[in-house]
Amino acid sequence: YSRPHRQGREIFGNIVKWGEPWRLGANEATEIRVFQPVTIQGKQIPVGQYTLYAIPYEDRWTIIFNSELYTWGLRFNTAKDIASFDIPVSTKDRMVEYFTIVFDETEKGADLVLAWANKEARLPLQF
């Protein structure tokens, strides 16, 4: 994924608009490869490679797995959406300068952590 830099800008509600799709980074859309079936909120995501998008809202984010690969920006075909998940977003005291995606190990799998500016969202993955 491309890691945009905050550079003192107000990100959410400004650069990244509330209620509008976001490619979770910059330039080419962010992709994730799943090497074994993953369960998210009771839905199974099969082995494969997916494009990730988000629709951020002030109180939650909708995370979308889409099967169309190698897309630029926000040119994606919603008919190829595999699944979507609403997850809470929290406001943190510290600022994250570069958009960051990391995995945080949990008892049942891992959280896909998305952080930028003072916002953090976690998508629990079970495998």
Side-chain angles (χ1 to χ4, degrees):
Y1 69 100
S2 292
R3 297 184 68 195
H5 188 198
R6 191 172 74 85
Q7 297 177 327
R9 299 176 294 176
E10 182 181 338
I11 301 301
F12 294 100
N14 184 30
I15 303 295
V16 176
K17 307 282 188 226
W18 297 125
E20 293 184 13
W22 174 40
R23 62 186 167 230
L24 291 172
N27 305 320
E28 191 171 341
T30 295
E31 295 178 3
I32 186 170
R33 183 172 290 170
V34 177
F35 292 96
Q36 66 185 54
V38 173
T39 302
I40 304 170
Q41 296 178 356
K43 297 177 188 174
Q44 192 169 68
I45 304 296
V47 171
Q49 190 169 339
Y50 304 97
T51 302
L52 289 178
Y53 295 95
I55 301 173
Y57 300 94
E58 292 185 57
D59 63 338
R60 72 189 189 290
W61 288 3
T62 300
I63 306 299
I64 302 163
F65 282 65
N66 184 288
S67 64
E68 187 171 27
L69 301 176
Y70 314 113
T71 61
W72 184 265
L74 286 170
R75 291 185 220 128
F76 63 100
N77 181 351
T78 58
K80 295 193 175 205
D81 288 354
I82 299 299
S84 65
F85 308 96
D86 284 334
I87 57 174
V89 62
S90 59
T91 301
K92 300 296 184 178
D93 291 333
R94 65 178 178 86
M95 285 287 180
V96 175
E97 194 62 29
Y98 288 91
F99 175 61
T100 301
I101 301 175
V102 296
F103 290 96
D104 189 9
E105 188 175 354
T106 65
E107 275 187 32
K108 296 181 180 182
D111 286 348
L112 176 65
V113 181
L114 309 162
W116 198 19
N118 64 342
K119 301 295 183 188
E120 180 181 287
R122 291 176 169 262
L123 180 66
L125 312 173
Q126 296 179 350
F127 41 84

